[in-house]
Amino acid sequence: MKIALVGNPNSGKTTLFNALTGSNQYVGNWPGVTVEKKSGKYKGDKSIEIIDLPGIYSLSPYSLEEVIARNYILDEKPDAIINIVDGTNLERNLYLSTQVIDLGIPMVMAINMADVMEKRDEKIDTKKLEKELGVKCVLISAVKNELNNLMETLRSLKPSEERAYLSDDVEEAIQDISSLLKDKDFKRFIAIKVLENDPKIIEKEKIEPGIISRAKELALGLGQKYDDDIESIITSKRYDFISKVTGNIYIKKHSASESISDKIDKIVTNRILALPIFVLVMTLVYYISVTTVGTMATDWVNDVLFGEIIPPAVESFLTSVNCVPWLSSLILDGIVAGLGAILGFVPQILILFVLLALLEECGYMARIAFIMDRIFRKFGLSGKSFIPMLIGTGCGVPGIMASRTIENERDRRMTIMTTTFIPCSAKLPIIAMIAGAFFNGAWWVAPSAYFLGVAAIIVSGIILKKTKPFLGEVAPFVMELPAYHIPTLGAVLRSTWERGFSFIKKAGTIIFLSTILIWFVTNFGFIGGQFRMLDTLEIEYSIAATIGRAISFIFIPLGFGDWQATVATLMGLVAKENLVVTYGIIYGFAEASEEGAEFWGTLASSFTPVSAYALLAFNLLCAPCFAAIGAIKREMNNAKWTLAAVGYQCLFAYAVALMINQFGNFLVYGIFDVLTMVAVVILLAMVYLLLRKPKAHSLKTIGGAQD
Ligand code: GDP
Ligand code: MG
């Protein structure tokens, strides 16, 4: 006998699974994906196999977990299902339950958290609930091992009767399709999915074209009647049913004052306050990590550790062993200077990681996604896109990979294209360097870079959504807001360590190799027809300067058309930290590190605060590092789309940096010339792209038809 556990995340599935199976467990992966698969034998009867399916909110095709869970059920046809629901949150959990009921597999609903309900003095009439739903219901407490007669009930299960609980017109349509499915299993469930035009089910069940077109016809009829798409209609009918059920079954409803979590959410996710609070929180995060605490530590690492301690020690060691000049230059002016420049920013990066981990652990990040969903939705964008961006604040590569949870291909591509606009931790040193060197460490520089990234994502989203490849309905996004809780030290440390360690690994490999390359190209060159190592004063003849000068004209409109900035930007493609590393090597590390004064002096001729900010903006928004481009290529799985993504990013970055430089020059220095006019034209073009109306007929595709 095979029994599947189905339930929302956090409903207690794993706890129940462990209680039922004890140590008889097998953990593996679902074929082809990295979602964990757990199965085991029931302690009391080894002939019963239990599968812990991934936690899900529905059986729609929008996330990997959902697809895995429903494919398992459709393919393996378990003999019974335990649908575990969180009794303290019945209404939300029943959405999935109705869909499981549609399957018609013998099912028992295990209403978990009975202990909490008892404590809250909350009582449910399970007999009534059984009648309403047509399935057996038992109260359990998985943590207390109070599994009462769950297994007894299971043994005596009969197939659940087919229930028609949606509105009559919808039920008629379901009946219509269901009668065409002849001898298929799970008729009701499949009929609903075919009506919803679920491409995965249609393909999997090999639904005939005749049935599909009949379903489209029915969906169109309902769609016109309700002026909505069929999926939303069915969803809202489900909720109608659920609220009728939950209105009937409580003997005593939990009425105690709302929890602290609810109270916090009232403010934090409030329609008006949510956004200002989000801005405030992220400003604080950057203020603390870049401007205050982080800077103190960074100054010490830069000035003392990599200023007074390490370089002199290395230098005297090299002298004492009579190191050849080129090697000691490579070590001192290349590796130590380059790595030193970047390692100085480690404290700031670590503090950013700690703060991000705190926000994740306490539950605020989930709220940000919720808030952003509300905003994104207004523009026809999927709120799901924001999850990869939150992850991208640490590193763009996992951020891009997180786009996998977006099932709709258009939304997924768009998310992949825009995720790296969010400043990742590798861009933090660039931000901190520019803030320190050109803005006297002003507090607003770092948060402004973050919000520039957010704005770039929203603006790109709106612009792209109106172009042909991205037109279409947005997939619904159901998300649970977990209760706030105090983060545990262990979890914060683990998350910080994981991110921090991957940074250290990067510094030890790719950045280390970059320092050697940068040192080589800045210290060697042709001079007087001869290729040789150069003196400090001959840097203008270096390979870097030669290559940089050849292409630097591109950046003149952006305000940083010198070879140094060009080389730094190019090296930034290898790893964004290289921007700082390059300046560290070119200007000699000691100068790059010191709070601006000398650095400023060296750069004064080629930068103004305006053009420095344009340099920052360009490097934040343009093509990400090679690792992230690789991730884009893997996820897009298509060379053309990869090129389109990187091309779009560079173009967008160029346009934004040009506007910043030109408008900045006009506002600050009153300069108005041809390039200012170009900036005006770009601005107008952007406004047009933002405001234009997409072709209306293709936007509304009934039943969420996929192309
Ligand atoms: P899953 O995501 O569905 O696998 O849920 P878990 O089994 O990981 O449980 C989520 C949380 O709920 C854990 O902290 C459990 O300890 C807790 N939990 C599970 N069952 C019960 C229960 O019956 N009563 C109480 N009070 N907590 C429970
Ligand atoms: Mg679990």
Side-chain angles (χ1 to χ4, degrees), residues 38-286:
K38 269 186 169 169
S39 66
K41 297 242 161 22
Y42 174 47
K43 275 194 294 201
D45 179 350
K46 296 272 158 57
S47 70
I48 299 179
E49 192 190 358
I50 302 176
I51 316 283
D52 186 14
L53 290 178
I56 49 178
Y57 298 106
S58 80
L59 292 175
S60 26
Y62 297 116
S63 82
L64 198 55
E65 285 80 5
E66 288 169 349
V67 174
I68 287 171
R70 69 182 201 180
N71 282 354
Y72 173 82
I73 296 170
L74 296 180
D75 294 338
E76 301 291 321
K77 303 193 174 63
D79 302 287
I81 287 179
I82 299 176
N83 173 217
I84 180 166
V85 296
D86 175 353
T88 64
N89 230 324
L90 208 52
E91 190 148 0
R92 198 185 60 209
N93 280 239
L94 285 180
Y95 184 69
L96 173 64
S97 304
T98 59
Q99 302 188 21
V100 179
I101 291 171
D102 289 338
L103 288 162
I105 294 178
M107 150 178 161
V108 51
M109 182 184 282
I111 304 170
N112 194 24
M113 315 274 177
D115 55 319
V116 185
M117 291 164 73
E118 197 169 322
K119 232 189 259 155
R120 291 188 183 176
D121 203 21
E122 184 175 302
K123 274 208 186 76
I124 290 177
D125 186 339
T126 46
K127 285 284 159 279
K128 232 185 204 162
L129 185 60
E130 283 184 352
K131 246 179 81 193
E132 296 273 2
L133 297 176
V135 295
K136 289 276 174 201
C137 302
V138 273
L139 274 169
I140 63 162
S141 171
V143 272
K144 300 217 154 153
N145 225 332
E146 283 168 18
L147 306 175
N148 296 1
N149 40 14
L150 175 63
M151 290 313 276
E152 280 319 303
T153 314
L154 258 178
R155 275 181 225 271
S156 59
L157 269 188
K158 291 185 230 30
S160 50
E161 41 192 306
E162 190 164 315
R163 298 264 307 159
Y165 56 84
L166 300 167
S167 62
D168 293 342
D169 46 2
V170 176
E171 287 296 345
E172 258 169 47
I174 296 171
Q175 263 314 312
D176 193 320
I177 299 299
S178 175
S179 67
L180 299 174
L181 292 175
K182 293 185 202 108
D183 44 36
K184 273 201 187 310
D185 290 321
F186 315 116
K187 267 192 195 152
R188 179 181 170 81
F189 177 77
I190 292 174
I192 294 174
K193 292 293 151 197
V194 172
L195 263 181
E196 290 176 343
N197 199 3
D198 180 325
K200 293 214 163 76
I201 292 286
I202 289 176
E203 190 190 359
K204 188 170 163 48
E205 298 294 325
K206 304 194 179 61
I207 305 295
E208 294 155 24
I211 303 179
I212 300 172
S213 55
R214 177 68 188 144
K216 282 205 170 135
E217 203 177 300
L218 290 165
L220 195 67
L222 287 166
Q224 275 161 354
K225 182 167 170 189
Y226 290 97
D227 189 27
D228 208 342
D229 62 278
I230 186 75
E231 250 188 294
S232 312
I233 296 170
I234 293 179
T235 301
S236 89
K237 297 296 174 198
R238 272 188 210 284
Y239 275 117
D240 288 350
F241 171 67
I242 291 165
S243 59
K244 196 188 105 227
V245 171
T246 50
N248 262 331
I249 53 154
Y250 282 99
I251 299 171
K252 244 193 207 156
K253 197 155 175 159
H254 175 57
S255 62
S257 58
E258 48 188 5
S259 67
I260 299 176
S261 224
D262 294 337
K263 276 186 195 148
I264 300 177
D265 269 345
K266 268 226 165 104
I267 302 170
V268 167
T269 64
N270 175 286
R271 280 193 179 276
I272 299 160
L273 294 177
L275 210 51
I277 292 177
F278 168 57
V279 171
L280 193 73
V281 168
M282 290 316 287
T283 303
L284 262 176
V285 164
Y286 280 91

Side-chain angles (χ1 to χ4, degrees), residues 9-10 12-15 38 52-53 55:
N10 287 317
K13 247 175 346 79
T14 303
T15 313
K38 269 186 169 169
D52 186 14
L53 290 178

